[in-house]
């Protein structure tokens, strides 16, 4: 029965470790250290949180490729889920239970569509940047298909609720990155937004 303060500390511990690849090597030592931290937390001492240093940066978010096998992909999806994302096409709440349990690629969307970027000569690794993905049901994904952001953001995303929909997906509100199909600018702005939201959860 953790106290409210302990729950906050546990959440901060989770996010910090999720974005640090803490268990990528020497797992026994890390587990022992975590057990020791948890024992201190039971006694009301959460000072050990400062020893957990996440590795998430804007550069990492932009350069890391979306991959089911990479812990940052799974961590980012859980981070995005905290915002209760809305369907880009109709503004409905996305069923995160289905999307996360199946880990179905059809439930994720390249915000700047793959075919569109490939036509511009963008490399596959850059196309698949973590910052270029959001939750999106398969039906809505099909409607967007290969349409450019300068097309679908203004013609498919409901105008009346556009701000709320974009915010729920941690997508930039600067419309010029979409109207100008500015992929580089979009990646930089979205990495900043994701980083700021992450900071709000661990500070």
């Amino acid at each position: 029965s953790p106290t409210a303060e302990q729950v906050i500390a546990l959440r901060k511990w989770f996010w910090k470790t999720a974005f640090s690849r803490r268990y990528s090597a020497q797992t026994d030592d890390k587990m022992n250290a975590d057990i020791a931290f948890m024992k201190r937390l039971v006694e009301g001492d959460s000072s050990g949180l400062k020893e957990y240093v996440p590795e998430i940066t804007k550069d990492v978010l932009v350069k890391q490729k979306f991959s089911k096998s990479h812990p940052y992909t799974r961590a980012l999806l859980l981070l995005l889920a905290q915002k209760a994302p809305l369907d880009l096409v109709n503004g409905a709440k996305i069923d995160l239970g289905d999307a996360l349990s199946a880990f179905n690629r059809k439930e994720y969307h390249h915000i700047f569509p793959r075919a569109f970027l490939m036509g511009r000569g963008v490399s596959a690794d850059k196309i698949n940047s973590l910052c270029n993905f959001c939750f999106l049901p398969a039906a809505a994904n099909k409607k967007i298909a290969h349409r450019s952001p300068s097309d679908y953001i203004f013609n498919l995303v409901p105008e009346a609720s556009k701000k709320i929909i974009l915010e729920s997906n941690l997508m930039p509100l600067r419309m010029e990155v979409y109207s100008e199909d500015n992929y580089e600018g979009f990646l930089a702005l979205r990495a900043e937004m994701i980083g700021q939201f992450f900071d709000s959860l661990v500070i």
Side-chain angles (χ1 to χ4, degrees):
S1 301
T3 64
E5 290 78 11
Q6 288 169 332
V7 169
I8 291 173
L10 286 169
R11 287 175 176 165
K12 290 181 178 180
W13 173 87
F14 171 79
W15 291 116
K16 286 188 171 189
T17 55
F19 282 100
S20 68
R21 300 189 68 183
R22 181 169 175 77
Y23 288 99
S24 61
Q26 299 179 338
T27 57
D28 288 345
D29 289 344
K30 301 292 174 57
M31 288 179 69
N32 288 336
D34 286 345
I35 290 170
F37 166 72
M38 294 299 169
K39 288 181 176 178
R40 293 194 300 272
L41 185 58
V42 168
E43 301 301 322
D45 178 10
S46 62
S47 62
L49 273 174
K50 64 180 180 293
E51 304 300 325
Y52 294 91
V53 182
E55 299 170 1
I56 184 174
T57 64
K58 288 193 288 185
D59 191 55
V60 167
L61 288 169
V62 169
K63 291 183 177 180
Q64 177 59 50
K65 187 168 62 173
F66 186 98
S67 168
K68 288 196 295 185
S69 64
H70 199 284
Y72 285 2
T73 298
R74 297 190 291 270
L76 181 66
L77 291 175
L78 293 177
L79 190 74
L80 295 177
Q82 303 307 300
K83 296 291 290 183
L86 304 175
D87 188 319
L88 290 177
V89 172
N90 59 28
K93 287 186 178 180
I94 292 174
D95 188 334
L96 295 174
D98 285 347
L100 290 171
S101 64
F103 205 57
N104 186 341
R105 284 186 180 274
K106 293 181 180 179
E107 299 296 326
Y108 310 116
H109 164 62
H110 285 83
I111 298 171
F112 274 64
R114 177 195 295 271
F116 170 74
L117 291 176
M118 287 180 66
R120 289 193 160 195
V122 179
S123 69
D125 283 351
K126 198 161 193 176
I127 290 172
N128 292 319
S129 164
L130 278 183
C131 288
N132 195 29
F133 282 84
C134 70
F135 286 102
L136 192 69
N141 210 341
K142 288 179 181 178
K143 287 184 180 180
I144 292 174
H146 59 275
R147 297 169 71 166
S148 67
S150 60
D151 177 0
Y152 85 82
I153 289 291
F154 298 94
N155 293 313
L156 290 182
V157 181
E159 187 62 36
S161 51
K162 184 176 294 183
K163 181 176 184 293
I164 295 173
I165 292 172
L166 294 181
E167 286 179 333
S168 76
N169 285 284
L170 286 177
M171 289 170 59
L173 296 179
R174 294 187 190 175
M175 291 298 105
E176 61 268 24
V177 297
Y178 307 113
S179 63
E180 298 171 5
D181 291 322
N182 183 353
Y183 188 49
E184 294 286 349
F186 167 80
L187 290 178
L189 287 172
R190 192 159 197 243
E192 183 177 357
M193 287 186 72
I194 292 171
Q196 288 174 347
F197 182 54
F198 172 80
D199 287 344
S200 75
L201 297 176
V202 300
I203 294 175

